[in-house]
Amino acid sequence: MTVQGIILSPDLDDDRTWRIGDYVKRGGYDALKKIIADKMPADQIIGEVKKSALRGRGGAGFPTGLKWSFMPRAFPGAKYLACNSDEGEPGTFKDRDILRYNPHTVIEGMIIAGYAMGCERGYNYIHGEIFEVYERFEEALQEARDAGLLGKNILGSDFSFELYAHHGYGAYICGEETALLESIEGKKGQPRFKPPFPASFGLYGKPTTINNTETFASIPFIIREGGDAFLALGKPNNGGTKLFSVSGHVNRPGNFEIPLGTPFSTLLEMAGGVRGGRKLKAVIPGGSSAPVLPGSVMMDCTMDYDSISKAGSMLGSGAVIVMDESTCMVKALERLSYFYFEESCGQCTPCREGTGWLYRVVHRIENGLGRPDDLDLLNSVTTNIMGRTICALGDAASMPVQSFVKHFGEEFAFHIEHKKCLVPKDVQHEGSKIYVA
Amino acid sequence: MLSPESLKKIDREIAKYPPDQKQSASMSALRIAQEERGWLANETIEFVAEYLGMPAIAVYEVASFYNMYDLAPVGAKKIVVCTNLPCALSGGVHAAEYIKKKLGIDFNETTADGLFTLKEGECMGACGDAPVLLVNNHQMCSWMTEEKIDQLLADLKK
Amino acid sequence: MLDIEIDGKQLQVSDGITVMEAANQVGAYVPHFCYHKKLSIAANCRMCLVQVEKAPKPLPACATPVTNGMKVWTHSEQAVKAQKGVMEFLLINHPLDCPICDQGGECQLQDLSVGYGGAQSRYQEEKRVVSNKDLGPLVSTDMTRCINCTRCVRFTTEIAGLMELGQAFRGEHAEIMPFVEKTVDTELSGNIIDLCPVGALTSKPFRFAARAWEMSRRKSVSPHDSLGSNLVVQVKHDTVKRVLPLENEEINECWLSDKDRFSYEALNGAERLTRPMVKQGNSWIETEWSVALEYVANGLKSIVAEHGADSIGALASPHATSEELYLTQSLIRGLGSGNVDFRLRQTDFSLDERLTGAPWLGMSVANIGTLDRVLIIGSFFRKDHPLIAQRVRQAVKKGMKVSAINPAFDDWQLPIANKLVVSPDQMSRRLLGILKALSDQKGVEVSSVFGEALADAVIDDGVLAVAGSLASGRRVAVWLGNFAIQHGNASDIHLLAHEISRVSGARFGFLGEAANSVGGYLAGAVPFGKLKGKNASEMLSTALKAYLLLNVEPELDCASGFAAVETIAKADMVAVFSAFKSKAALDYADVLLPISPFTETAGTFVNCEGRAQSFYPVVKSLGDSRPGWKVIRVLGEMLGLAGFALDSIEEVRKASFGGQSSVDESKLNNTVSREGAFVSSVATQGLQRVADIPIYFCDPVVRRSSSLQATKDASEPVARMNRRSLTQHGVEAGTRVRVSTGRGQAVVLAVEDEGVADGCVRLAGAHLLTAHLGTLNGEVSVERL
Ligand SMILES: Cc1cc2nc3c(=O)[nH]c(=O)nc-3n(C[C@H](O)[C@H](O)[C@H](O)COP(=O)(O)O)c2cc1C
Ligand code: SF4
Ligand code: FES
């Protein structure tokens, strides 16, 4: 983190700064205290969030304020809140850092959300592979409880809210919000068909709102400083700062919290530029599910929902995977396709059967067994998957294939024709060896 | 079948959920059981099922769905290396190759002394730290250069 | 109501239904695999994608709710393209082995692939192979063919009530399986064969027996439990090859219990009796019908002449048809005797004279789903009435509260709100308690008949909870189960249950022991009414001179087991009308008359709700066997009795139902005429036996179905006691024990079972191992071996 952000900043990178004492010193829980003291009406909170133009940081970019307003107000009985920290989208590693270095901002954000939507209970679903983060989060929760900020009668008010951590155990699909709910219910994480949407039938069949970790982490600032202040950090329709996880062929991979609308070139520079001074070849701008873009196209983009979308991809989770000229695009796609094949939940036909098919064809091409009509086949199979599955994993598996073939078709054709990579193996090898800045 | 400490841990997890939703603790109960037993034998799964009042097959569904549960015995130290694209671009595959060479085993194999099992993993949400690997599900190791891998393996052997 | 349009047709549909349901209403077929009208919606196969106006992508018809003004195209270009795309995915890993697949010819995948499949597969990679699973003796697997529609999983969870199958692993590795090394043990398991749209789950007994198109399909009615499930019997070369459900929403819906489905195996079995036989000296010789009938006719005549008509009697099976039962009692009465009964496991007949009609369910089966409170008294409900239990299971999900009082429970796989586990001798006192509590809560006076007995009432929390539950209901029923009917003081229970239902404003009914438990009464196969006589119990306690046994194997079908056989063996003549040859019968019988089982005869069963269901033969009679009604009719004529000149089954039916061919509803009545005070019976001191009649022991046909006999439900009887009783009687679970009554003993394994009431040992009846005990009820002693 090289920039002073509202969620993360370099000086938080410490074993102590995550604790509640430090957080409070930084103005933490002021937003919550303000709400409680002012008995702020729920509508006003949701209004601020709407004003901020905060869009969901989990991938889909759905306006958060609008989502919150979908929760039924007068619902009798339990309502739930869930935080999606099941960060598993290849290239994304921002939520882990938020939970490691600033867990209380997520807790505060969730308490505020619970207050605004009248939820009695929340769960933070934490990615399986980051057990140490889960343990820290549990500790942070205890700190909050001990401080009277969580649990019964928060800060002496009549508002009560329970918050727990639920630990995943290795399934990318649980990042999909309804799979996440199934998983909290103690089942395998198979997405539910929608409608009904979680806002009417969510956790345990009760109204539920799910937001990403970073989304919740943005809330305290919005309430403390006002929605307008947040919006002003970014640009219209793209409020605030956003964390970008930059990985791959850069000199300084890491998370960078920058205002939405910052040029990609600036972000690339912050990450130390392309490794070894090599030429930028391609960038996946929003996590592995987002369509890949040629480096030249990316260099003209700014990092916000609208610009990236115009360029034909998605800002997604803000995971920027940088690939330089030493990358074999077929091999890169082969690895991603394998990922979706492995992670398909197996529930619906097009995804269960199609992801394996895609992977096998790409694998064949990479291994010199491609056939002339394979590229048409890949396009056709992806078309048959997209839009026909229960959840968006089918689309997520298809978009890389379509975009890789679209932008780097010659490289695929070369493989099929010459039964080998366009980029020599030793160049590839050199380009992706162990690199620690 | 499980130790009182493990049962206590499971009870703590159960308490996180509404009283009529005990089964929500199935994932953590399996994790805790696996920590104690090393892997999830059918009896262990059945025990967890009974403890939570679930059909055994429902718990088996969970145990077989999530990657980090082991339904077969693994070495005392299970090492999972992420080779997904972002990591692969920064040496993830090389790190895995290096470990394979050092341990003389391939993915999904266990060393003859029963000490190490090596597996290929999917994105661990730590791509900026590549190469990354996970030891026994819970300990993440970042920026694993060859030297650091040597050091880690030496430490784990102790 | 919403206005929508499907394929250009305008229609009005009710709010809340899905596009699939709406499409069904206009007869538009939407291809599908995972959707099933009785199961929850999974929307996982994606075959039912249809085009919906304004939707950017095709939507699954099965899961998409209709909205007002919606326009749907089920076969537009967009829809068909999507459907074809899904079909291709379904086929890439599906083996193309239709020629050797048992599902061939009746496979939804095969059928649909004709319309939606491509000519040649574009998938040229290796196909997935999935290992087969052992699901038990009834269902065979070929899991490579599975398309993961999860119908079977949802069936076990939702309909059978226990998740016995799951989808383990994920993605392409997803597999349908039971928990490792477990089998599918529900008594409804065969339905997953019907549900499976491909050949992954097929019938084990039927395997490779015939191809679907080679068999003719004929309607029939199940001869087993009191529901009277409707059947499609599939026949090839005059042999029953398979039995499937005939959908009847008012009875069995689209389901069958395994008993109904697989019992047909017995029909072609080695024990079929196919020739009339007479005993000469000590050996049996096969003979002609005329000779055998002559023998019986002459025997009866001379015995009547010598010992009086009262020395002859008939015991008939409650699984016999109304026509057979009617003719049997006509024959006995024609000869001047009233000794006829079909209530073979009943021992308390003291209400016989006070019955005002045939005991029945007191309501229609279809209405069970509308009840909100039920009290079930004395029943092994789930196993005795698998599909009625299934209806209750669904009703419970909609809010029905079930109370039950029984001396032993196994898992009914449905939540029981109030469960009273009470030893048989305490049941009356608890029912008195419920009655008293109810009367207090409802402010309805209990009939003075119960005045003194109410002093014995046991009032405890359990009783109060049951009373509270009944009192709070709007549509309540009180049902007596088979155990209650077979109880040593069945009349007490009957009277109390009747009064409880009166006080609570409930419907009162009998679940019914067998296929024709109502029909037997209507046919007059009971020793009261026109000409009184001895009941089953009396006929079996002092020997008569002649017995006619209609489809009865006394050692297993009668309450007194081998004691019944001993009595019968003393007679001068025992004529057995049966489809099967049993070892015991070869000893005690003098003549064996092969009569046809249900598939080879015409007849009628009156089910528990009083519905008469007639059926016709689906195959020719095996060997020389003949329909029972014809045999008895001829016998009647040979005896020169009046009323036997009946030429067709229809005439017999008319005669038996009193002029009509269906049940006169006024003859169904559970009311007991009131006379005398109610005196509740005394409690016993010792260990009491609780005899269940396991689902696959209960009648001669199921006992001979080899596949059913291989299931867990058919395992040999064990002595089940709770931990306290085990300790009290010094018995260790897992060891062999001797259970004895005054009449005989049985050596069985002792098993701990917390579902059994204190002071009781649950030990199944209707089995050779326990038939020597000579009674189903009463005190027993248990000793270690
Ligand atoms: C296959 C798949 C994986 C996803 N993974 C994540 C994830 O790891 N984290 C996340 O926040 N959202 C993920 N999402 C998006 C969530 O479904 C959901 O949109 C999000 O959590 C909502 O939060 P937001 O509105 O704050 O973004 C995923 C979606 C899909 C289809
Ligand atoms: S698209 Fe894939 S991951 Fe999503 S529900 Fe279908 S099978 Fe599961
Ligand atoms: S029938 Fe609709 S998705 Fe299967």
Side-chain angles (χ1 to χ4, degrees), chain A residues 55-64 67 83-89 92 94-95 172-178 180 194 210-216 289 317 340 391-394 396:
Chain A
R55 294 171 60 164
R57 303 300 196 217
F62 193 82
T64 305
K67 187 188 265 189
C83 174
N84 191 341
S85 300
D86 189 41
E87 189 173 56
E89 171 89 357
T92 321
K94 62 190 177 68
D95 298 338
Y172 164 66
I173 191 60
C174 290
E176 196 283 337
E177 57 189 16
T178 56
L180 179 143
K194 290 167 275 190
I210 302 119
N211 276 120
N212 171 254
T213 320
E214 188 186 349
T215 311
F216 282 123
S289 312
S317 57
Y340 291 104
C391 82
L393 190 136

Side-chain angles (χ1 to χ4, degrees), chain C residues 20 31-35 42-49 60-63:
Chain C
M20 178 74 85
H32 60 269
F33 295 107
C34 68
Y35 167 77
N44 60 29
C45 77
R46 316 308 283 178
M47 191 62 207
C48 67
L49 294 171
C62 69

Side-chain angles (χ1 to χ4, degrees), chain B residues 41-43 45-46 55-58 60-61 64-67 71 122, chain C residues 153 162-171 177-182:
Chain B
N42 291 334
E43 303 85 71
I45 292 174
E46 219 165 354
I57 181 65
Y60 190 80
E61 279 192 343
S64 63
F65 187 87
Y66 298 93
N67 264 347
L71 297 180
E122 290 305 342
Chain C
V153 176
L162 174 67
M163 184 182 186
E164 289 193 290
L165 287 171
Q167 186 192 39
F169 304 99
R170 71 185 191 206
M177 56 163 70
F179 185 63
V180 199
E181 278 161 34
K182 287 218 165 135

Side-chain angles (χ1 to χ4, degrees), chain A residues 173 191 343-348 351-352 389-394:
Chain A
I173 191 60
E343 298 294 339
S344 162
C345 87
Q347 181 179 204
C348 63
C351 171
R352 180 186 62 243
T389 50
I390 291 180
C391 82
L393 190 136

